[in-house]
Amino acid sequence: MSAPSARPAPVVPSTTPALPTRSRHLALGVIATGMLMIILDGSIVTVAMPAIQNDLGFTPAGLSWVVNAYLIAFGSLLLLAGRLGDLLGRKRMFLAGTAVFTVASLLAGLATTPALLIAARFLQGIGGAMASAVGLGILVTLFTEPRERARAIAVFSFTGAAGASIGQVLGGVLTDALSWHWIFFINLPIGLAALAVAVPVLPADRGLGLRAGADVIGALLVTAGLMLAIFTVVKVEEYSWTSAHTLGLGAAAAVLLGAFFARQARAGTPLLPLRILRSRTVAGANLVQLLMVAALFSFQILVALYLQKVLGYGSARTGLAMLPAAAVIGVVSLGVSARLIARFGERRVLLAGLVLLVGVLGLLARVPVHAHYLTDLLPVMLLAAGFGLALPALTSLGMSDAKADDAGLASGLFNTTQQIGMAVGIALLSTLAASRTDELLADGQSRAAALTGGYHLAFMVGAGFLVAAFVVALAVLRPHRPKPVAAPERNAAAV
């Protein structure tokens, strides 16, 4: 193909066999479907929480574990699952993870007590980590030609945005029309269909073998450290940032993770070869993602809370109100981002997307108590197109220096920073919003005005995170000018 590429992806020897073009596209569909199921589940649960609490008798503190159990398992196991995918075979890891997630969804839907639901959610997190950790790794080894890879990543990125938005609509509809149990049962046909297609379509990579990186001590250190760190962050709203609980567990998590990195520098077969972090592009992209995801929690969750608690929207109406955001993200990520990246480079497209997202949170920081959807909220939804620019460009940068043998690890690392950013966003922004709301209520403001004031503070802090992400991207990520490629060879995987 004669189109220029902003940053040619490294073409390296791979254990993945070549596939015909049609098979590669089917494989992309399978990976995207698996990710849709996992991300759909994350957002679909949020709107059903009141119904779950009433039916199973959760306490307010216990109810948070419906989300926290999943988040802790998912976030702490991504790095390990990504590396195991490289060692044992990424197809095996994807199939096993999808199967575990599907079975866990059935168990969650059948749960009759809080303990059973929390255990099923933890198991869902394990399966989700196994499948999603290797998804990008499979993708970048299948699509090595720059423009094809950009398009594939755009599809993958759109899946995430669509899953989050569709989940809010679907969660409200299923809960109102049937029951909360069906928010989990809906995963069964999706998971079974993904498995049925994945078995014949995904390339059967052999993996490097456990001897290439079977660092058991390192695996225990990083898993325990990440699990403790995420647990500490999600409990901040209960204990505060300066409490002995938060500081003590945070210090313990830092010690465990510090010991992990010290071991990786000396281990003969490290779980995380530190060479992957020496790439300025990879390290910078992961840092930008952490800041961006932490900020955009305020859009995905707090906007939904504002619509329901301040404007009085129901669950289904809230999801429908946020659908324009999913639509513009889809149009931009699927129809525009790959061409812009090819012409201007990932860094410039990322910076443009971040500017639009700063506008999103800047407008939300001024949204009134009695907002009109068309004038106050629809412009915000349309500016969310910035996500359709930023995420595909950021994903390309995060995977740009991944070698074939490390693709699963790079994918797991990229997903891990995403989950850490989400946990930080949940803990910090929700705590700030709640504290500001309490202050305004104490000053005598109405509940609607106090809630709006709390959300304003969270939106402003989120905008600050995005500005910091812009600065990091500008300073750390090196610009790569698009260069015309004369008569490039066709990808060997294409037929």
Side-chain angles (χ1 to χ4, degrees):
M1 300 177 72
S2 59
S5 170
R7 182 182 178 83
V11 181
V12 293
S14 172
T15 57
T16 302
L19 291 179
T21 300
R22 182 175 179 274
S23 296
R24 287 187 295 125
H25 291 163
L26 284 174
L28 172 60
V30 168
I31 295 168
T33 300
M35 287 305 300
L36 175 66
M37 178 178 66
I38 292 166
I39 295 171
L40 183 75
D41 186 80
S43 61
I44 204 172
V45 170
T46 58
V47 296
M49 296 282 271
I52 293 173
Q53 182 177 17
N54 293 334
D55 191 25
L56 296 185
F58 271 98
T59 64
L63 185 64
S64 66
W65 282 99
V66 176
V67 174
N68 292 345
Y70 178 86
L71 185 63
I72 290 171
F74 190 89
S76 61
L77 292 173
L78 279 165
L79 191 62
L80 176 60
R83 187 54 176 165
L84 287 177
D86 290 330
L87 300 178
L88 301 176
R90 289 183 282 272
K91 178 178 179 177
R92 291 178 185 172
M93 186 62 64
F94 182 86
L95 292 174
T98 303
V100 169
F101 188 90
T102 304
V103 171
S105 296
L106 175 62
L107 296 176
L110 295 174
T112 55
T113 66
L116 289 175
L117 181 58
I118 290 172
R121 289 287 288 162
F122 191 86
L123 188 60
Q124 274 189 312
I126 295 173
M130 293 168 66
S132 61
V134 296
L136 272 174
I138 297 172
L139 187 151
V140 299
T141 56
L142 286 176
F143 297 90
T144 55
E145 194 276 324
R147 177 164 290 217
E148 282 194 336
R149 177 181 286 191
R151 289 173 178 167
I153 287 176
V155 171
F156 185 87
S157 301
F158 167 69
T159 301
S165 298
I166 293 171
Q168 291 173 327
V169 179
L170 195 58
V173 171
L174 289 174
T175 302
D176 292 343
L178 298 171
S179 71
W180 65 264
H181 301 274
W182 285 90
I183 68 172
F184 299 112
F185 290 151
I186 193 67
N187 291 329
L188 301 183
I190 300 175
L192 291 174
L195 287 170
V197 179
V199 171
V201 165
L202 291 185
D205 55 322
R206 295 186 303 275
L208 302 173
L210 287 176
R211 292 183 179 179
D215 181 10
V216 177
I217 295 176
L220 293 174
L221 286 172
V222 71
T223 303
L226 286 172
M227 191 171 289
L228 188 58
I230 295 172
F231 173 81
T232 303
V233 171
V234 299
K235 297 292 284 183
V236 161
E237 190 171 0
E238 181 178 347
Y239 288 97
S240 85
W241 287 96
T242 57
S243 67
H245 179 277
T246 300
L247 295 177
L249 292 185
V255 169
L256 288 171
L257 293 174
F260 166 72
F261 282 107
R263 178 173 176 80
Q264 298 313 287
R266 301 190 307 269
T269 56
L271 180 70
L272 174 64
L274 295 184
R275 65 177 181 274
I276 197 170
L277 297 178
R278 296 191 187 105
S279 167
R280 182 171 176 170
T281 300
V282 171
N286 277 276
L287 178 56
V288 170
Q289 178 179 231
L290 190 150
L291 293 167
M292 187 176 80
V293 171
L296 292 178
F297 158 77
S298 63
F299 177 78
Q300 181 181 345
I301 304 298
L302 296 186
V303 169
L305 291 175
Y306 166 78
L307 291 172
Q308 293 181 359
K309 293 187 175 183
V310 177
L311 299 186
Y313 284 24
S315 298
R317 189 182 177 191
T318 296
L320 291 172
M322 299 185 72
L323 268 184
V328 295
I329 290 171
V331 170
V332 172
S333 61
L334 294 177
V336 179
S337 64
R339 284 180 287 179
L340 291 178
I341 288 171
R343 182 171 181 181
F344 298 107
E346 294 100 330
R347 180 175 177 265
R348 289 180 179 177
V349 173
L350 170 62
L351 292 173
L354 289 172
V355 169
L356 291 178
L357 292 175
V358 170
V360 168
L361 296 190
L363 288 176
L364 286 172
R366 299 169 56 85
V367 71
V369 176
H370 303 291
H372 297 285
Y373 182 79
L374 289 179
T375 56
D376 296 314
L377 293 171
L378 185 58
V380 171
M381 303 299 168
L382 298 180
L383 281 177
F387 193 76
L389 293 176
L391 188 57
L394 192 57
T395 305
S396 295
L397 290 165
M399 298 297 294
S400 60
D401 289 341
K403 298 179 180 179
D405 292 345
D406 293 332
L409 176 61
S411 174
L413 176 64
F414 193 74
N415 281 285
T416 298
T417 59
Q418 187 177 88
Q419 294 304 309
I420 292 173
M422 185 181 299
V424 170
I426 290 172
L428 179 60
L429 299 182
S430 61
T431 301
L432 289 174
S435 298
R436 180 59 177 161
T437 297
D438 290 342
E439 291 175 3
L440 294 174
L441 286 172
D443 289 342
Q445 294 198 23
S446 68
R447 181 162 183 79
L451 284 169
T452 304
Y455 298 145
H456 282 172
L457 177 60
F459 293 140
M460 284 188 287
V461 173
F465 282 167
L466 290 173
V467 171
F470 182 93
V471 171
V472 171
L474 191 64
V476 176
L477 300 177
R478 292 193 176 106
H480 294 272
R481 290 181 174 239
K483 296 179 180 179
V485 180
E489 293 182 7
R490 181 65 175 168
N491 186 332
V495 174

